[in-house]
């Protein structure tokens, strides 16, 4: 039996992200703009396979070929004839849907590996009998040989993403450890090179000297013409006794497709801001320039209230074990509003995206230019729907109120978290020329009462300084802002909440946060002492802060469920939120912000690491509670997303049923013109770097011919 942490259950939630009404409201030019943007997003999404694990591209190609040759229903008939039970075939469909949904074989939320929940020999037998195998037996056998073992393997290092002995990652070669990541970050800062679109590969030269390749993502290779910004950086450097070679061209054939579709998008832009935004993104992906992407973000911010909203690029750094490199994501959003309503008002429906999280540009842009956030209404509406019988760890008297107000309270929390959490908080910076964005003789540290003693210098950024804790720390800061400001009645009136409704929303928002802190224990790995998900670590930290506040604000008890198995109960005294909870969050938020603003890494690590610690000390005994949380956890939902299709001079929307088979069909039809070429690109890119993790695999015949 495989540990339930590492399989997706057959009854995992799957939901259609319905965007038909939003799409219907678009004019023809807007539909074309959305179509080409979403094509760019989907092509770029394939990059994530190469950012996840060494075997992910081959698994994707194997599954893609299986289901392009036979529809899930047809393959199901074959599966039953080869001896698979209905449950085993459903487990395979769920696994395939999981690989497509997560763009790899590790959960995008939680970073644990998931494996097929059926015997390996039965899956192998099905593949050997499949239509894809009959058509290309040698290629299918080689695909299985290169990924079959790793698909099922749960060796300790392969159970989660991480550096060296703590897990698997393809942001770094397999021989890189934390010290390598730290040294590389020092080098990048010294040359003012952003890590966001890079990977790091470590080798020894003939003389035995350590050499690092810093490879930028771009269409163009190192030998192609270079613009003035990158010209001084694409070369070799000697740094602290090692050689650093900066190259580019990572993911080139995939980014070429992204650029082609962004160029087509430009012809349907609604205004000059969109045109300039796309031009900068095209330059960024072509040249490998983060500076160009930042220029695109500036234009994106100025494009206020567009009918079709979007964001694309190497954005969130959650899955880089060091916290500096961005995962590729893209999203396209259309209106969820009547045609007569102001298109700048809140609300939106995602037509396609790799990640459904709201988006903000870099800290430096946010501080000087402003920011913008996107909320994907159809994602939120299905992701957070709650069934009472599956609502864990709450008192019965809280459940009905929780179900009634969870949606509205979450809307309040997300709005405050994104706009006023991530959107606030100054970083004190001294530029390379010595000028500061603050008065060193006047600014007082509110924690010490003295002048501030530290700040960011030169090319240092929040991510590069705080590295492994940066993402979670920042999410925690933004969550604290949401908790604190939701207590303000003027703020709640913006959300049309007053009186008893406002009080209930406050209570459920705070209750949801402490429950989420308990649920967060699922994402802690005791064997390595690491957290695998930034938001859930942040919520656990807040739970610890509120428990520490005492005075009966939060109560957490070990109990026994009606089924006789371990359970837990978390309660929140709503009468203590203002007198006890508010000052506790205020004090903690101020400490978080001061340490972030002043680049006090040592202080930040001590504070955040202390509250992140998971032990079995009383009275909470969090390690034991983790077992209870795992026992009663519910699998995260997967979303089935639509495709857009050109028909003549217009675009149609193709939607699919909200099942594992529907999700698989959506991917089988996603790249109708060039699926085989994309698969070959993925395998060639994977092969070129395979020696950084294991022996190079045998090439498929089609690759050899290429």
């Amino acid at each position: 039996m495989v540990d339930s942490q590492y399989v997706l259950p057959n009854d995992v939630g799957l939901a259609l992200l319905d965007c038909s009404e939003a799409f219907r409201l678009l004019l023809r030019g807007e539909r074309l703009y959305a179509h080409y943007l979403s094509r760019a997003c989907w092509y770029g999404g394939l990059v994530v396979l190469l950012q996840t694990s060494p075997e992910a591209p081959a698994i994707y190609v194997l599954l893609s070929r299986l289901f392009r040759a036979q529809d899930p229903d047809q393959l199901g008939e074959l599966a039953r004839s080869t001896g698979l039970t209905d449950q085993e075939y459903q487990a395979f469909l769920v696994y395939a849907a999981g690989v497509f949904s997560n763009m790899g074989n590790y959960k995008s939320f939680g970073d644990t590996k998931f494996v097929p929940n059926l015997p390996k020999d039965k899956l192998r037998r099905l593949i050997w009998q499949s239509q894809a195998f009959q058509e290309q037996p040698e290629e299918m056998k080689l695909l299985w040989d290169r990924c079959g073992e790793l698909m099922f393997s749960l060796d300790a290092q392969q159970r989660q993403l991480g550096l060296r002995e703590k897990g698997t990652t393809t942001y770094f070669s397999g021989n890189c450890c934390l010290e390598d990541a730290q040294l590389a970050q020092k080098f990048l800062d010294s040359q003012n090179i952003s890590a966001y679109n890079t990977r790091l590969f470590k080798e020894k030269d003939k003389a035995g000297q350590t050499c690092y390749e810093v490879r930028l993502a771009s269409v163009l290779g190192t030998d192609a013409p270079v613009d003035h910004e990158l010209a001084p950086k694409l070369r070799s450097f000697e740094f602290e006794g090692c050689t650093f070679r900066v190259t580019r061209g990572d993911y080139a054939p995939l980014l070429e497709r992204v650029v082609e579709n962004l160029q087509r998008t430009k012809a349907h832009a609604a205004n000059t801001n969109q045109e300039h935004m796309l031009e900068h993104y095209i330059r960024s992906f072509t040249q490998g320039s983060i500076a160009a992407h930042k220029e695109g973000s500036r234009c994106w911010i100025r494009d206020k209230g567009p009918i079709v909203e979007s964001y694309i690029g190497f954005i969130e750094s959650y899955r880089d074990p060091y916290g500096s490199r961005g995962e590729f994501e893209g999203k396209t959003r259309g209106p969820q509003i009547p045609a007569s309503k102001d298109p700048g008002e809140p609300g939106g429906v995602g037509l396609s995206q790799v990640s459904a999280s709201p988006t903000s540009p870099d800290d430096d842009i946010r501080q000087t230019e402003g920011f913008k956030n996107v909320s994907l209404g159809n994602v939120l509406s299905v992701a957070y729907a709650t069934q009472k019988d599956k609502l864990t760890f709450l008192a019965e008297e809280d459940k009905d109120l929780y179900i009634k107000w969870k949606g509205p309270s979450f809307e309040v929390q997300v709005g405050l978290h994104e706009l006023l959490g991530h959107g606030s908080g100054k970083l004190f910076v001294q530029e390379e020329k010595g000028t500061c964005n603050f008065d060193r003789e006047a600014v007082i540290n509110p924690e010490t009462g003295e002048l501030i003693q530290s700040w960011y210098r030169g090319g240092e950024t929040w991510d590069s300084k705080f590295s492994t804790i940066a993402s979670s720390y920042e999410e925690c800061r933004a969550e604290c802002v949401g908790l604190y400001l939701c207590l303000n009645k003027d703020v709640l009136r913006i959300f049309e909440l007053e009186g008893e409704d406002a009080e209930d929303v406050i209570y459920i928002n705070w209750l949801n946060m402490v429950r989420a802190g308990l649920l967060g224990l699922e994402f802690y790995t005791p064997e390595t002492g690491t957290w695998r998900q930034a938001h859930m670590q942040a919520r656990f930290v807040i739970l610890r802060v509120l428990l520490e506040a005492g005075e009966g604000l939060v109560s957490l008890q070990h109990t026994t469920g009606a089924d006789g198995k371990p359970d837990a109960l978390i309660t929140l005294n709503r009468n203590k939120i203002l007198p006890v909870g508010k000052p506790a969050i205020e004090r903690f938020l101020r400490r978080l912000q001061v340490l972030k603003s002043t680049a006090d890494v040592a202080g930040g690590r001590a504070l955040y690491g202390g509250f992140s610690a998971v032990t079995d000390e009383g009275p909470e005994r969090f390690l034991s509670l983790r077992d209870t949380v795992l026992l009663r956890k519910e699998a995260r939902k997967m979303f089935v997303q639509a495709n857009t299709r050109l028909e003549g001079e217009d675009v149609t929307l193709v939607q699919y049923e909200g099942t594992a088979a529907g999700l698989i069909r959506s991917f089988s039809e996603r790249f109708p013109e060039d699926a085989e070429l994309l698969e070959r690109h993925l395998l060639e890119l994977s092969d070129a770097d395979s020696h950084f993790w294991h022996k190079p695999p045998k090439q498929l015949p089609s690759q050899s011919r290429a």
Side-chain angles (χ1 to χ4, degrees):
M1 291 290 292
V2 176
D3 189 323
S4 63
Q5 288 185 78
Y6 305 110
V7 295
L8 302 175
N10 279 11
D11 62 351
V12 64
L14 285 119
L16 169 67
L17 285 187
D18 185 12
C19 55
S20 55
E21 180 63 12
F23 196 78
R24 186 188 65 79
L25 292 171
L26 298 178
L27 302 175
R28 187 178 74 88
E30 295 161 353
R31 288 194 292 272
L32 287 162
Y33 184 82
H35 168 73
Y36 288 119
L37 260 179
S38 69
R39 299 307 297 157
C41 292
W42 285 119
Y43 280 115
L46 296 173
V47 165
V48 179
L49 293 161
L50 295 155
Q51 293 181 304
T52 300
S53 71
E55 68 274 13
I59 294 173
Y60 173 91
V61 173
L62 178 69
L63 296 173
S64 179
R65 291 191 178 181
L66 274 176
F67 289 110
R68 282 195 297 106
Q70 284 173 288
D71 178 89
D73 290 344
Q74 296 172 329
L75 194 63
E77 293 176 12
L78 178 63
R80 283 182 283 276
S81 71
T82 59
L84 270 72
T85 66
D86 288 345
Q87 291 75 20
E88 288 169 338
Y89 184 63
Q90 177 63 19
F92 175 55
L93 291 183
V94 166
Y95 175 78
V99 170
F100 292 141
S101 181
N102 291 278
M103 273 289 119
N105 57 328
Y106 287 74
K107 295 175 186 175
S108 58
F109 193 92
D111 291 348
T112 49
K113 187 174 186 177
F114 56 95
V115 300
N117 194 18
L118 71 157
K120 183 165 65 173
D121 63 320
K122 286 194 171 185
L123 178 55
R124 182 185 181 280
R125 191 187 315 151
L126 174 61
I127 291 170
W128 256 245
Q129 295 296 318
S130 70
Q131 183 65 33
F133 193 95
Q134 306 314 307
E135 293 173 357
Q136 297 177 310
E138 186 178 351
E139 295 201 9
M140 291 296 287
K141 182 178 184 302
L142 286 172
L143 276 172
W144 175 262
D145 288 345
R146 67 191 288 172
C147 71
E149 286 295 325
L150 286 170
M151 187 189 297
F152 282 85
S153 173
L154 285 173
D155 290 350
Q157 192 178 350
Q158 294 165 2
R159 292 174 187 170
Q160 64 279 316
L161 298 180
L163 269 173
R164 200 68 172 264
E165 70 280 354
K166 291 191 174 182
T168 293
T169 181
T170 47
Y171 285 109
F172 298 85
S173 55
N175 57 353
C176 284
C177 61
L178 180 60
E179 289 73 22
D180 295 304
Q182 291 169 333
L183 178 62
Q185 190 61 60
K186 285 177 66 178
F187 163 73
L188 292 170
D189 288 345
S190 74
Q191 298 299 320
N192 200 22
I193 298 173
S194 171
Y196 264 99
N197 64 340
T198 70
R199 292 197 288 170
L200 184 72
F201 303 100
K202 174 185 173 182
E203 293 186 285
K204 297 279 188 181
D205 66 14
K206 293 179 180 178
Q209 184 183 22
T210 299
C211 300
Y212 295 96
E213 179 192 0
V214 175
R215 191 188 304 163
L216 281 60
S218 66
V219 175
L220 296 179
T222 306
D223 297 331
V226 184
D227 66 8
H228 67 281
E229 176 218 338
L230 288 170
K233 299 176 180 178
L234 292 177
R235 61 184 182 87
S236 291
F237 301 80
E238 294 302 314
F239 185 81
E240 296 195 6
C242 301
T243 299
F244 278 85
R245 187 165 55 94
V246 182
T247 67
R248 66 177 180 176
D250 215 0
Y251 324 120
L254 302 179
L255 292 178
E256 188 174 357
R257 294 292 186 281
V258 174
V259 167
E260 287 171 358
N261 281 277
L262 291 178
Q263 288 169 333
R264 293 173 182 137
T265 306
K266 200 176 141 196
H268 305 284
N271 54 56
T272 55
N273 280 327
Q274 289 181 1
E275 288 179 13
H276 293 155
M277 173 189 77
L278 293 166
E279 287 168 358
H280 290 306
Y281 288 163
I282 288 166
R283 178 171 163 257
S284 173
F285 299 137
T286 301
Q287 295 282 346
S289 168
I290 290 297
H293 196 275
K294 288 183 178 182
E295 287 302 316
S297 290
R298 290 186 173 96
C299 297
W300 176 70
I301 292 164
R302 290 193 286 269
D303 186 27
K304 295 180 173 63
I307 296 297
V308 179
E309 183 61 273
S310 65
Y311 206 59
I312 188 170
F314 297 89
I315 312 298
E316 303 288 6
S317 57
Y318 302 132
R319 302 186 87 190
D320 169 16
Y322 192 67
S324 294
R325 290 153 188 82
E327 183 176 57
F328 193 96
E329 69 175 57
K331 53 182 75 76
T332 308
R333 164 206 181 270
Q336 191 183 30
I337 47 177
S340 61
K341 200 172 181 183
D342 178 2
E345 290 184 17
V349 173
L351 298 176
S352 77
Q353 66 280 328
V354 177
S355 167
S357 59
T359 306
S360 302
D362 304 63
D363 276 316
D364 55 342
I365 296 177
R366 192 181 298 121
Q367 290 200 147
T368 58
E369 305 284 336
F371 58 95
K372 191 165 68 170
N373 298 92
V374 179
S375 178
L376 302 179
N378 58 348
V379 174
L380 298 180
S381 65
V382 300
Y384 298 102
T386 306
Q387 294 177 293
K388 188 174 180 179
D389 61 343
K390 293 187 176 182
L391 195 51
T392 53
F393 309 132
L394 292 182
E396 284 299 318
E397 57 266 28
D398 280 330
K399 289 184 178 179
D400 287 335
L401 197 67
Y402 183 92
I403 290 170
K404 178 179 179 181
W405 291 110
K406 184 185 178 185
S409 71
F410 190 78
E411 184 178 342
V412 170
Q413 179 67 13
V414 167
L416 297 175
H417 170 120
E418 296 295 340
L419 292 168
L420 300 175
H422 292 315
S424 66
K426 181 172 182 173
L427 303 186
F428 297 127
V429 179
Q430 182 179 30
E431 301 295 347
E432 291 179 352
K433 296 180 180 179
T435 57
C436 297
N437 68 344
F438 65 100
D439 187 342
R440 290 173 59 178
E441 304 302 319
V443 178
I444 300 296
N445 183 327
E447 291 288 294
T448 65
E450 301 173 354
L451 294 173
I452 66 170
Q453 302 296 312
S454 57
W455 47 82
Y456 297 85
R457 301 172 190 271
E460 293 177 343
T461 66
W462 160 247
D463 281 329
S464 71
K465 287 288 284 184
F466 283 72
S467 64
T468 54
I469 68 167
S471 291
S472 185
Y473 187 113
E474 173 61 12
E475 294 304 332
C476 186
R477 192 184 68 85
E479 291 284 45
C480 288
V481 169
L483 285 181
Y484 187 80
L485 289 180
C486 82
L487 301 173
N488 186 305
K489 299 300 170 58
D490 291 334
V491 167
L492 292 178
R493 276 192 282 272
I494 295 171
F495 293 88
E496 300 180 345
L497 293 165
E498 297 187 81
E500 186 178 345
D501 288 353
E503 296 297 330
D504 285 344
V505 161
I506 291 171
Y507 175 59
I508 295 305
N509 193 35
W510 280 62
L511 180 64
N512 188 47
M513 185 62 69
V514 295
R515 176 176 181 261
L518 176 58
L519 296 176
L521 288 167
E522 175 190 344
F523 302 92
Y524 176 76
T525 304
E527 293 81 3
T528 59
T530 56
W531 284 88
R532 306 185 314 275
Q533 215 295 317
H535 299 82
M536 301 311 285
Q537 179 183 358
R539 292 157 187 164
F540 176 78
V541 166
I542 291 171
L543 170 61
R544 289 280 312 275
V545 169
L546 296 178
L547 282 166
E548 189 180 271
E551 299 187 44
L553 173 65
V554 178
S555 170
L556 181 55
Q557 304 169 40
H558 292 254
T559 65
T560 300
D563 56 4
K565 297 177 181 178
D567 208 336
L569 176 66
I570 192 160
T571 56
L572 172 73
N573 186 332
R574 66 190 298 167
N575 296 320
K576 297 288 182 74
I577 292 175
L578 282 175
V580 181
K582 181 180 180 181
I585 287 295
E586 180 181 353
R587 287 192 299 271
F588 186 62
L589 177 57
R590 183 173 61 241
R591 293 175 72 189
L592 289 174
Q593 183 58 59
V594 167
L595 294 167
K596 178 181 179 181
S597 292
T598 60
D600 186 349
V601 179
R605 285 191 176 278
L607 175 69
Y608 203 67
F611 279 106
S612 296
V614 179
T615 72
D616 223 21
E617 296 176 5
E620 291 87 8
R621 298 181 12 246
F622 284 118
L623 274 178
S624 297
L625 277 173
R626 178 180 177 273
D627 294 335
T628 302
V629 170
L630 290 174
L631 177 69
R632 300 190 178 277
K633 73 183 180 74
E634 183 180 3
R636 193 171 177 84
K637 289 177 181 173
M638 293 189 281
F639 302 133
V640 182
Q641 300 187 61
N643 285 319
T644 52
R645 184 178 296 158
L646 276 178
E647 291 193 357
E649 297 183 354
D650 207 342
V651 182
T652 58
L653 186 75
V654 183
Q655 297 205 126
Y656 302 84
E657 61 183 6
T659 63
L663 197 155
I664 291 166
R665 288 188 184 100
S666 73
F667 270 86
S668 296
E669 298 178 9
R670 189 140 284 148
F671 306 106
E673 306 92 358
D674 50 6
E676 289 188 26
L677 181 60
L678 291 170
E679 290 165 6
R680 191 163 80 237
H681 287 328
L682 282 168
L683 294 175
E684 289 169 348
L685 289 167
S686 177
D687 287 356
D689 294 324
S690 62
H691 64 284
F692 289 120
W693 297 283
H694 45 64
K695 291 181 180 179
K698 293 181 181 178
Q699 285 196 328
L700 304 189
S702 60
Q703 289 177 264
S704 302
R705 289 194 298 272

